[in-house]
Amino acid sequence: QVELVESGGGSVQAGGSLKLSCIVTGFTYSDNCVAFFREAPGKGREGLAHIRGNYDATYQDFVRGRFTISRDDDKNTVYLEMNTLKPDDTGVYYCAAGWCSSGSWCFPRGCYKYDYWGQGTQVTVSS
């Protein structure tokens, strides 16, 4: 059974940093795709960053340069390091995993389907 568990959310002031973790279990870790999404109050879910394997990372324009996605396969964990946070970054953050098949979630280098989702972690950025 595949399970994704996010942690690391919290409250921070604008300009601060947080590092989210996503532990992925029950999922073969070779050449799969993992991404982070967020859902802001009153808005739909949006993709933020995507990583394929251990080196092919892509970012949406509005987080590039501030957010960094990485993975530690020994720990079955994917990270999203978030710096220079803004109040607009407030929302519930989710990680998701899939087999890199074509889908409707688009990043600069492709659109993917994510089959497994975590439960989300709240990030609140105050001004």
Side-chain angles (χ1 to χ4, degrees), residues 5-79:
V5 179
E6 301 100 334
S7 62
S11 297
V12 65
Q13 290 194 325
S17 299
L18 284 172
K19 187 173 183 177
L20 306 183
S21 298
C22 173
I23 300 176
V24 185
T25 56
F27 189 62
T28 302
Y29 229 58
S30 58
D31 196 30
N32 55 41
C33 289
V34 181
F36 276 91
F37 298 78
R38 75 178 173 209
E39 195 164 320
K43 297 183 180 180
R45 194 169 296 188
E46 58 185 354
L48 305 174
H50 158 99
I51 187 165
R52 178 171 187 162
N54 205 18
Y55 53 88
D56 184 13
T58 58
Y59 303 88
Q60 302 292 21
D61 287 346
F62 55 87
V63 300
R64 187 179 297 115
R66 297 191 300 127
F67 291 10
T68 302
I69 190 171
S70 61
R71 57 195 292 171
D72 183 337
D73 290 353
D74 290 338
K75 296 181 179 178
N76 288 350
T77 303
V78 180
Y79 302 98

Side-chain angles (χ1 to χ4, degrees), residues 91-104:
V92 180
Y93 283 65
Y94 300 88
C95 62
W99 301 108
C100 306
S101 56
S102 295
S104 59

Side-chain angles (χ1 to χ4, degrees), residues 101-120:
S101 56
S102 295
S104 59
W105 294 105
C106 293
F107 292 88
R109 288 202 290 272
C111 297
Y112 303 96
K113 177 186 176 187
Y114 296 92
D115 302 278
Y116 308 102
W117 293 79
Q119 83 291 347

